[in-house]
Each structure stands twice: as C-alpha cells, then as structure tokens.
Amino acid sequence: MQSSPNAVVYALVAQVGAAYLSHVFGKFACKIKIQVFSFALPLSLAGPASVVLATVLAQLRAADPCALHGLLPDYLALRALAGNTEELGEQCLNWALWLWPLWMLAQLWTCLHVWQPRNDKNAQTEKLFVCPWYCGLLVDQCSLMNRRIVDWSEEYLAIKSDLTTPRDPVVALAGDVNASRDILEEDKVPQLIVCATMWHETEDEMMEFLKSIVRLDEDQCARRMARTHLNGGKADDEYYELETNIFFDDAFVLDPRQCQNKRNPPINEYVKTLTRTIDKAAFEVYGVAIRMKPPLKIETPYGGRLVWTLPGRTKMVAHLKNKDKIRHKKRWSQVMYMYYLLGYRIMETEQLSPRRKAVIAENTFILALDGDIDFQPRAVQLLIDRMKAVDELGAACGRIHPVGRGPMVWYQRFEYAIGHWLQKATEHVIGCVLCSPGCFSLFRASALMDNSVMKRYTMVSSEAMKMVQYDQGEDRWLCTLLLKAGSRVEYCAASDAYTHAPESFNEFYNQRRRWVPSTIANIFDILADAETVVRRNNSISTMYVWYQGMLMIGTVLGPGTIFLMMVGALVAVFSIDIWTAFLWNFFPIISFILACVYLKQKFQLLIAFVISTLYCLVMMAVLIGIIVQMLEDGPLAPASLFFLLVAVQITIAGFMHPQEFWALLCGVIYYITIPSMYMLLMIFSVFNMNDVSWGTREAPVLKDDGNEAPSDAENHLPGWLNDPLLIHSELGEVSLMEQRFWKDLIKQYLKPLELSREQKQAMADGLKELRNMIAFAFVMVNAIFVLIVFLLQLKKEFLHLKWPIDPTDFVSFDRDNLMVGIYRQYKELDPIGLCFVIFFGLILIIQFLAMFFHRFATLCQLLATTRVDWFRSGGQFTDEDAATELKGSAVNIARRLQRPKRLFDDDEDGEGEHPHYDEVLMEGAEAEHRESMVRRQTIFRLHETRNKPHGDYSNLVLNFERRFFGDDELNLKNLALNRKSVKLLQARRSEAKVNAAATPGGTPTPKNGRRPPQVPKKVSFSSANRNSMAIYDNGGYEHTEF
C-alpha cells in the first residue's frame, strides 16, 4: 500500500489551520460574551468526542479492512485496542484506561471558571487569557487552561502589583484596606464631557450639532431614570454621566464703532444664532415645542459663560471667549478645557485622594466635537466601549461621513470612504491611527493629563516649522503627542458621525492647504523619532514605521508619479509621441508653479480650477482609452491588470461595507480629479505653506478708513449682559477659587499674543524662508525623479522586461522558401513600471488584508453589544429571566415614559401613537401612513384644543415621574415584554410609590397645571463639589409641580 508523498504536509497544514481557527474563534466567543455555549461547551467536549470517534473508527477498520474506503485513505488508520467489544473492555482494564474519565473530570473541575465568565464585552486578549500564544497539538486544553480565573480588572492589577513589590506586610495590609474604602463606585462611572469648539458656524450647522446634544441628553436622562427607579439604583453597562461644553472663539464684537463698553461687549451674531437655535433643535428632536429655561449668564476672566439646563437636566455650558482677554483659535480652546475640566475639576479637588483622582481620570472621557457635527448616542457609546475594553487606549475616532451638495462633496465622499476603509483600518490593525479627527473623537482624561502631552500641547510655536506642525493641524499634533507618550489611538468603524464638507473648489483647496503640510510635518516627526516611539508605544513596531515611510515616499513623489502617468496616458490614448505628451503636461504645471510664486492666492485658485477642469476632460478620455486598450491587449496586460486589481479591490471593499456601498458611485469623480488632487493640490499646499490663516469660515475683515468712529450711541450694540436675548436670564458668578484659577491659567499659558510689528515681520519672513526651502526641495526631488524615469522610458526598447502572462503567438508563411514560422511575442514591461507595480501593489495588498481583519474586529464589537436570546422559550421563562429582561428594557421603558407629550395627545394612551425620532426610520411606509392619517385630523384637533390649557413637558425627569408615580396604567406598547416582566415592573412601581410617599420630601403626587413662574435670582458657585458633574446648579434639578 503506497501513501501520498504529501500526506504529512497535508496533515500538518490541516492541524495548524484547525488549531489556529480554534484559537481565533475561541477568542471571538469570549469577546462577544457567548463563552458558555461557544467556548466552554465545545472545548470541554472536544477531548471526549475525539477519543470516542477515534475508537469507533479504529474498531470499524479492524473489523472490516475495507470499511471507510473512499472516505479515509486506506493507509491512514489507528490501531484498534481489540477485535470486539468484550476484548475492548478487557484491554481498558488491563491498561487502566478507566483513569482517563477521572482525569477528564479533574480537567472540568479545574476549568470550572470558564462556565462563569465575568469579562467586559469586546475585551482585549490580554484581559481574557494569561498567555497570548497557544499549543497547536492540545489547543482545547491549552485554551481552557489559559483562560483567566480573575478578570483583568483594576483590583487584579492592584493585587498583581502588590505581589511583585516588596514592602512591609502590616503597612501593605493597612494600605490595601484604606485604598479599597477610598475608591467609590461613582468614581468608576464613565464621565462623558462633551467639548465642542465653535467659531463661525451657520445656523444649519449649529442645528445638527444641537440636535445631537439633545439626543445625547435624552439618552443619558433615560439611563439615569432607569437606574434610579427601575433597576434599584444599579446602572446598566452603558451608563454614563454627561456634561456639554462649547468653547466659542471670538464671541464678542470688539470693534469700537459697535462696542461702547469693553468690560461689557456685545455678543456677535454667531452666539445669538446659537441661543436662538437651541429651542428649534429640541423641537426637531421631540416634535413638540420645548420651553427651555433661559440660560444663566456669568462673567468670567476669559469673557463670559452661558449655562443651559437641557430637557434631560444635564448642563450645556457655552464659554464665550474674548480674544482681548484670552488666546483664541482652536488649539487654545482645547488647552482651556484640558486644564479646566481635567486640571481644576479633578486634580485641584482637595477632597479627593490621589488614588481616587487616578480612578476618576481613567473613567473620564472628553468627546471632542466640531460645531457642525451630527451623530447619534449609539456612536458615542461604541467609542466608550472601546475605552473600557482597552486600558492603554488614549483616543478613539469614528467613521466620518461628509455631507453637503455638489461635485466637491461627491469627491470627498469617496475619498473619506477609501481613507477609512483602507488607510485608517490598516493603521488600526498593524499599528496605531496617526490622526483622530477633532470633529468627532473620544479622548481619555488620564492620557491627556500626561505631562508629555498636556504640557507640551501648550507650547507656543516660535519657529516656522513648529507653527506649521502645531497650529495648522492641532488634532494630528495632539495625536502625535499621545503616540509618543505610549497611548494607543484606534478607529471604530461602527461609530458614525456626519460633518459638513467644503462645497466649493476654493474652500476645499484652502482646507487641504492647512492639512497637507501639518500631516507631512507630524508624520515626519514620528519617523524621525521612530526609535523612541517604538520603545515607548507597544502598539507601534518597526515594520509599521517602515509602512508609514513607504506612504511618505509615495506622498512626496506623488506629483511626479501623476505627471508621468499623465504623459503615458496621453501617449497611449491620443497616439502622440512621448516628447509632445511631456510638453503638453509640462507647460500647465510650470505655469501653475510660477503662479503660486508670484500671484495672489485667489488667482492661484482660479488657475488651479481651470487646469483641473482640463485634466478632468483628459482623464475621461484616458478612462475610455484604458477600456479600449484592455479590449485590444486583454485584461492580463500589465497596465490593464493593475487597473483591474485596484478596481476589484475597491469594489470588494465597498461590498465589505454594505451601508456605504453607494460611495463607490462617486469613484468616477475621484478618478477624473486625480491630477488635480494629487498634483496641483500638493503644489498649491507646498507653495502656500507660509499662509497660516484658517482658510475656511473666515469672517470679513473690517478695514480702517482712517476716519474716527462716530460717537452716535445708536450705532452701539447693547452689552452682552443687557442683550435682549438674555434679558430674562439669571445672573450668576463663579467662586473666587475658580477666578484665581482662570487668571493664573491665562497668565501662564493663554495670555493673548501681542506681537510687535517687528516680531510679526520676523515670523512672516521665517515662514517664507521655510516655504522656499521646502518648495525647492519638493520641486527638485520630483524633477529628478521625473527626469530619471523619463530618460529610462526613452530607452524602453533596450531596457524592458518580458511580461510572462498572456503572450501573443504569431504564424508566418514564407512563400519563397515554403516555410511556416511560429514565434511568440511578449508584452514589454519597463523596470520602472515594475517597481511602481511592486511598490504600490505591496501597499494595496497590506491595506486589503488589514481591512478584512478590521471588518472582523468591527463584527466582534457589534455582536458584543447585541443581546439575542435564541434558546429561551416562553414556557421556560423564570423570575430570573424576567428580572434580566426588565433590566435590558429599562432604558427603553424610561425613554418612553419621559417623552414629552404631543399637542394632540389627550390621554396617556395617545402618547404611544407617535414614534420616537429613532423609530421613524425603522418603520418606513407604516410610519408614513400613520403620519398621513394624523395630518387629516390636524384642523379638527386644533379647533378642539385651542382653549385647553397645555402643561409644560419640557422637563424629562418630571415627565417620567408624573407617569411612573401616577395612577394611570403605563403605556408599554411596542415593547416586547413578557408578562412576568410586566408584573415585576408593576411591583417595582408600587414599591417605589410607597417609598416615595414614606420619604420626607419625596416625590409628590403629580398634578396637572403649569410650572410656577421663575423669579430671577443671582446664583453663586461654590467649589465644595467641584468633582461632581452637576457643578452649575441653576435650579435645573428642582422638583416643581405641574
């Protein structure tokens, strides 16, 4: 009997592959919290099932040598212990095989902890298993034994550190007791602090941002009500505390022609727009007019502060910055909230011990937003889940979707899609994300509070290069500091956010003019200090640094590469000689370079637009030419094959992201604008590096005509404290300690930069010198690259390789000699083209493979946050199941009970007829039909309700308590709850009523009516409770009658 020569290889590959898949899917099961059914059970049965199966197969083959013929190779068999069952029993006794079941029971007893998992969802491998590796031969026992008994929590880390640190046993015991008593459960609750920066946003952009904040406020209120009244004081796994801060740059009108008193300057129109838009945003979310309390106005050392109490009783604070008192621009706003919210509110709180401060900082997260962002609470929760799962995670960003209209937005839609699908996913998998965009990112407080991050972020850019790196791309600079400090930055693809993108050509070019130099400067900073970064950051390896180096080379040589591509495309499509194609591309590029040197920026943009338009027409012709060439040469030609592979890769990436698949339709716009975006834009950015203005949302500059401002009081705007929009607002004040903090902070870090004319001129000269140096190096590198490649291309007939794929065979006949000749012609591939294919092909392969790994990780995260009960029937529903179901549905119940009452809802039963804002999208045609039926009765209902008094439902907490503690039945329509769960809810409701009635000052019996009138008062702020999230108390939590 002869065996296959590759049998051992096949067996080895099968064993290695099966063991690896078992290890990977075992981790997968533990991460998404299906450990009992998909990890513990199969691995525990793997050993007995394998032994039984092997014994049965061996006995069959021993009884009949032809058994299993065709299913297993004839030479592959195990030696049977006996010929029949009786002999098998005797052999088991002789060889003492009866001990094996005892060993199996001992293994089950040893691994009993795998049946009672307590890990967080989507936890890291280091938190789940003791060792990151596994044994391929005994993968089942290795995985079971490798699973941690004690989950890697803060307590476990403290125990581990204490065991490895020698110290006095008495002192250690006392310290452990005091430390455990010092840490409170409230310290571990995630504290979400929203920090948005605003400047010159439009009303539509502010509306999207405020709607997102109102939705977040409603979600937090629902979780708070569920914890307080439905879950017996126990918070759900996704509970968080919330506070919103808006830092408004240049919020006051300081022009002497409009400002009469510099101590009480008027607020600008953008702040007024924010004030007027809040109520509109609440109406858009709830579908009913929300009468929000006027904001509390406070004078501060940096300008002013407006404090709103949102319907869910969380605070939204607008910090109005006076640029004459404090340094303006986004980076300094970030310094403000870092030192105020993290330094003053946490570190300078005397009531907190150092250990409590550390725990609070680990569980405090800053959600950095732009003033035009649109997101759902679910997106924020996914980022918080990543923070809780990965301890060393310093920042996490979501999937940013550009919104707007026009071809520029279509281009950015595809660009953002490819950038997230491939580039950010690759950075996440093989290293760290280098930039977490400030429009929607979550930062861990403890990572920001590192001295090498927060302290260095306050550095004033005294050098030209530092100004480009620090001030032109502050988000990337902050991430660079985090990476150098050892923190990890991740990308969460399931967390979606929408931001307004530039819609015009000039605005887009100005935005990228800021981004491109800062991106190159920060990446070069990491590459230059690669050894230190690799040593400090466990997520960054030398291979990852090489990958970023390859991308940097491609970025720098990108214009030259596109230039050569266009030369070759013109030769192939229009059948012109290579010198003519070279000149047709050379003259537009050299003209644009000269324009960038000598002309103003508006003329540069005009010329760039004209050249981009011409290149778009050429690229359309090139696209048609490539298709024709593919039909002539076949799809296996070098150029055709590379084009098809890139197209197939992008298409597969689109199928892997089905919700974003339609972004592929914008790929045509992306393709025809490649010369503009990768050649002209790079030239424009490099030659305008000395321009450090923001470029977008710039306000018109008021020119001084030399005449004195008129002294007519009618031209003066009212001071912000006396503004008609804020006339009904209460006046508050900050504590002396906080005033002293702001004065010290401004004096040390945020004092307005008052540069003399000579200093400004020196800085401008330094920027021009840097621009000249970088531009010269940039042009020379690309020129040398183009020259070398072009000269080699001229000698293509001598310097080429034979393309071995799909050659063409020719047959010739010589009539004179009556001979038939057969020869084969290979397509030519020049060495430079081969280098291009290898270089860019390697990058595409790395990104393509990394995308699949990131998609799998995203699937893990989504499954870990999805609760599905597949194996429980109605007859098996126990009291424990009812408690579990009620806990899982408590937030939805609270959200239903706290919802404001609509205008036409005459009773409680009618409230459930109106869908929630996030339910309308799911109901589709049914919801549209229901809304049409409601509209038919609008006039009749308006007539009926015109004289009825309407209660105030602007307070979600009071809405919940009125319904929960009322005598009416709760409206639980459309909530899939078991009868036992409903009974348990009613029991808890009755118990809560009894406790509220027995408690002095408890929740009163709700009554219909109006909220009592608000009396203006002056509110002061003490520093006794600075560590609490409810710092600004303007009566937002007071219980008022209805």
Side-chain angles (χ1 to χ4, degrees), residues 835-848:
C835 294
F836 285 167
V837 171
I838 294 176
F839 182 81
F840 291 104
L842 180 61
I843 293 177
L844 291 178
I845 290 174
I846 293 174
Q847 293 182 346
F848 190 64

Side-chain angles (χ1 to χ4, degrees), residues 215 218 222 284-287 376-377 889-900 902 910-931 971-976:
R215 289 192 292 260
E218 186 206 25
E284 290 289 332
V285 172
Y286 295 112
Q376 296 289 338
S889 304
V891 176
N892 293 329
I893 296 173
R895 185 176 286 116
R896 176 69 61 87
L897 297 180
Q898 74 183 13
R899 190 174 306 169
R902 304 272 183 130
E911 295 175 7
E913 300 299 325
H914 296 279
H916 192 243
Y917 63 84
D918 56 358
E919 296 173 0
V920 176
L921 298 177
M922 296 184 292
E923 295 182 3
E926 182 182 353
E928 183 178 354
H929 174 70
R930 180 171 53 191
E931 291 296 330
N971 178 26
L972 301 178
K973 293 182 179 179
N974 301 326
L975 290 178

